[in-house]
């Protein structure tokens, strides 16, 4: 479900170069929301803070329904845009923003590199929603000074909607924003992103279960009978449950995967290799950013293209791999049985974006590079 779920969508705009797409089922939810707002405003008197309005006539109720629903979906978009712009400020590319039946999603190309970045990106969405709620609430004050009751009504609904959006998203279950905050805190404390993700995902399953139970209660409780709200709560709960389960499964496979599952065969350079020969004949065939340097399967160092940039072109003919490489050090290699997670941690911090894999006899048996380990990232409203 998780993959096919986001497929049916159309691109409606580009904002700051980010494609904004709408899931087809979103139109159904939009129409439903308009009907729900219009129906409520038409049927009964409306109680606002300090104002009691008689029920609206049908046409006015429908117009207010469309305006309010439009403003609320723009608010969801603003929430996602806030995540996306914060992610961009952290140097992460944004794939797209999707509006789907249960809210929005800013999809990032890669995961945040550290817990601090994850925290800032997660908090940016609810912060925007709180800000919108405060601005809309201030607008109700201004409108009520002028006696524009319909305007007060619209801004009041927008303020309440945004407040709800901010609070709901701060529930501490992954993939909600609150769950991401939780994951960032656990990640910072333990240094283990896979375990943090798994824990935040388990909390996500619990939050989803509470939503489903609450939905059932709203439907069956004798003096409550909020069928629509109940059904909605159950649907959102099921949606979250599915996403949280996927995260927990993924986290478990990450925790158990080892370096030997992901490494590539050890293609290495001879220490005596001339840099000019390397540039002309080897690099074009092996487009990677770093290479292990070894003789008779014994690791001597790692040659990184970044270090090679420091060497002037006219020196390429008399420099050899061993002159340019970083000599072997502890943070450059791991054993095949080490978990992938700790190898990735090492790669993030050793300044190479790669590690050599060396077995217990000291022989080079593989190589691990950042770009070759696939990572996908999703973000839910
Ligand atoms: Zn969010």
């Amino acid at each position: 479900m998780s993959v096919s779920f986001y497929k049916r969508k159309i691109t409606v705009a580009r904002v700051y170069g980010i494609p904004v797409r709408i899931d087809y089922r979103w139109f159904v939810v939009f129409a439903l929301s308009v009907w729900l707002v219009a129906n409520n405003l038409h049927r009964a008197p409306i109680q606002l803070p300090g104002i009691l309005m008689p029920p609206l006539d049908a046409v006015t109720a429908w117009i207010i329904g469309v305006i309010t629903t439009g403003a609320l979906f723009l608010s969801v978009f603003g929430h996602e845009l806030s995540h996306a712009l914060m992610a961009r400020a952290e140097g992460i590319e944004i794939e797209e923003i999707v509006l789907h039946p249960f809210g929005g999603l800013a999809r990032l190309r890669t995961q945040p590199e550290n817990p601090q970045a994850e925290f800032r990106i997660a908090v940016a969405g609810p912060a925007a929603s709180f800000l919108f709620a405060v601005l809309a609430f201030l607008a109700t004050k201004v409108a009520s000074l002028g006696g524009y009751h319909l305007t007060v009504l619209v801004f009041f609904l927008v303020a309440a909607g945004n407040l709800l959006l901010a609070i709901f998203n701060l529930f501490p279950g992954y993939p909600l924003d609150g769950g991401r905050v939780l994951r960032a805190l656990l990640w910072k404390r333990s240094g283990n992103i896979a375990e943090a993700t798994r824990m935040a995902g388990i909390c996500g399953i619990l939050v989803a279960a509470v939503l489903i139970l609450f939905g059932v209660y709203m439907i069956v409780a004798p003096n409550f009978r909020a069928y629509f709200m109940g059904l909605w709560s159950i649907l959102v709960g099921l949606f979250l449950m599915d996403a949280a389960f996927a995260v927990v499964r993924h986290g478990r496979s990450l925790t158990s995967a080892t370096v030997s599952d992901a490494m590539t065969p050890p293609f290495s350079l001879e220490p005596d290799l001339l840099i000019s020969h390397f540039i002309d004949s080897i690099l074009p065939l092996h487009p990677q950013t770093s290479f292990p340097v070894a003789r008779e399967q014994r690791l001597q160092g790692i040659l990184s293209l970044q270090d090679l940039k420091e060497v002037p072109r006219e020196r390429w003919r008399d420099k050899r791999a061993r002159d340019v490489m970083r000599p072997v050090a502890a943070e450059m290699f791991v054993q095949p049985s080490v978990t992938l997670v700790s190898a990735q941690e090492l790669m993030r911090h050793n300044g190479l974006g790669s590690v050599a894999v060396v077995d217990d006899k000291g022989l080079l048996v593989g190589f691990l590079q950042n770009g070759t380990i696939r990572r996908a990232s999703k973000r839910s409203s």
Side-chain angles (χ1 to χ4, degrees):
M1 175 178 164
S2 304
V3 177
S4 62
F5 195 82
Y6 301 103
K7 275 192 179 156
R8 288 168 294 169
K9 58 203 175 188
I10 50 167
T11 306
V12 290
R14 261 173 194 281
V15 179
Y16 295 104
I18 304 165
V20 181
R21 305 205 162 99
I22 289 183
D23 181 299
Y24 283 118
R25 281 158 299 175
W26 178 87
F27 291 101
V28 178
V29 176
F30 191 94
L32 211 60
S33 168
V34 171
W35 174 78
L36 202 70
V37 174
N39 196 39
N40 274 308
L41 298 181
H42 179 55
R43 265 197 342 208
I46 306 150
Q47 180 67 64
L48 294 175
I51 306 169
L52 182 64
M53 292 169 72
L56 302 181
D57 64 89
V59 175
T60 312
W62 280 96
I63 292 173
I64 298 291
V66 170
I67 293 174
T68 306
T69 301
L72 284 175
F73 278 97
L74 267 181
S75 303
V76 172
F77 169 71
H79 175 110
E80 297 308 326
L81 187 64
S82 179
H83 282 306
L85 293 181
M86 183 58 87
R88 181 175 280 179
E90 296 288 347
I92 297 172
E93 273 190 75
I94 297 102
E95 184 118 15
E96 59 181 1
I97 289 177
V98 188
L99 298 179
H100 64 76
F102 301 108
L105 185 81
R107 298 227 295 175
L108 312 181
R109 285 253 158 87
T110 53
Q111 297 257 19
E113 287 285 307
N114 56 61
Q116 290 80 1
E118 163 99 88
F119 181 86
R120 285 190 289 265
I121 297 168
V123 162
S129 296
F130 269 121
L131 182 68
F132 297 153
V134 168
L135 291 178
F137 184 72
L138 290 177
T140 65
K141 291 287 158 205
V142 174
S144 68
L145 288 180
Y148 303 111
H149 289 180
L150 284 179
T151 314
V152 174
L153 174 63
V154 170
F155 278 120
F156 181 77
L157 292 175
V158 170
N162 273 291
L163 193 62
L164 198 68
L165 192 64
I167 292 171
F168 173 68
N169 272 294
L170 284 175
F171 280 12
Y174 202 88
L176 292 173
D177 296 332
R180 293 189 173 259
V181 169
L182 178 66
R183 180 172 90 141
L185 296 177
L186 292 172
W187 181 10
K188 187 166 164 52
R189 212 181 58 175
S190 70
N192 185 339
I193 182 175
E195 189 52 32
T197 306
R198 213 172 69 85
M199 284 306 297
I202 289 170
C203 293
I205 293 172
L206 293 178
V207 167
V210 168
L211 278 174
I212 293 168
L213 289 177
F214 184 59
V216 171
Y217 174 78
M218 277 199 277
I219 290 173
V220 301
N223 45 13
F224 216 33
R225 301 269 170 185
Y227 297 112
F228 188 84
M229 287 297 289
L231 193 64
W232 191 246
S233 182
I234 291 172
L235 280 176
V236 173
L238 288 173
F239 172 75
L240 272 183
M241 181 80 83
D242 180 64
F245 261 118
V247 163
V248 171
R249 270 196 303 272
H250 182 66
R252 191 179 297 142
S253 69
L254 260 185
T255 324
S256 59
T258 61
V259 166
S260 58
D261 297 327
M263 68 188 188
T264 54
F267 169 77
S268 62
L269 309 177
E270 284 289 316
D272 294 331
L273 179 75
L274 274 174
I275 295 303
S276 55
H277 180 68
F278 167 72
I279 301 265
D280 294 338
S281 321
I282 295 177
L283 191 57
L285 297 177
H286 301 271
Q288 36 189 82
T289 54
S290 56
F291 297 82
V293 179
R295 170 171 285 161
E296 287 163 357
Q297 266 193 287
R298 299 274 167 187
L299 182 68
Q300 306 208 340
I302 290 184
L303 179 77
S304 113
L305 294 189
Q306 216 165 4
D307 296 340
L308 204 54
K309 277 190 204 146
E310 322 269 293
V311 181
R313 184 176 277 266
E314 58 275 14
R315 304 293 307 277
W316 286 358
R317 295 195 162 277
D318 50 58
K319 286 274 186 192
R320 295 178 187 275
R322 62 169 138 51
D323 305 323
V324 184
M325 72 180 191
R326 297 188 199 183
V328 65
E331 73 272 12
M332 278 181 198
F333 61 90
V334 291
Q335 294 222 330
S337 57
V338 162
T339 63
L340 200 49
V341 173
S342 49
Q344 282 173 319
E345 196 65 26
L346 199 62
M347 285 155 69
R348 256 200 289 275
H349 294 122
N350 70 5
L352 289 161
S354 63
V355 279
V357 186
V358 173
D359 70 7
D360 47 12
K361 295 187 206 73
L363 297 178
L364 180 69
V365 291
F367 197 57
L368 211 55
Q369 284 200 88
N370 250 335
T372 54
I373 301 164
R374 294 190 45 174
R375 284 183 294 174
S377 174
K378 282 186 192 166
R379 176 171 297 276
S380 187
S381 67

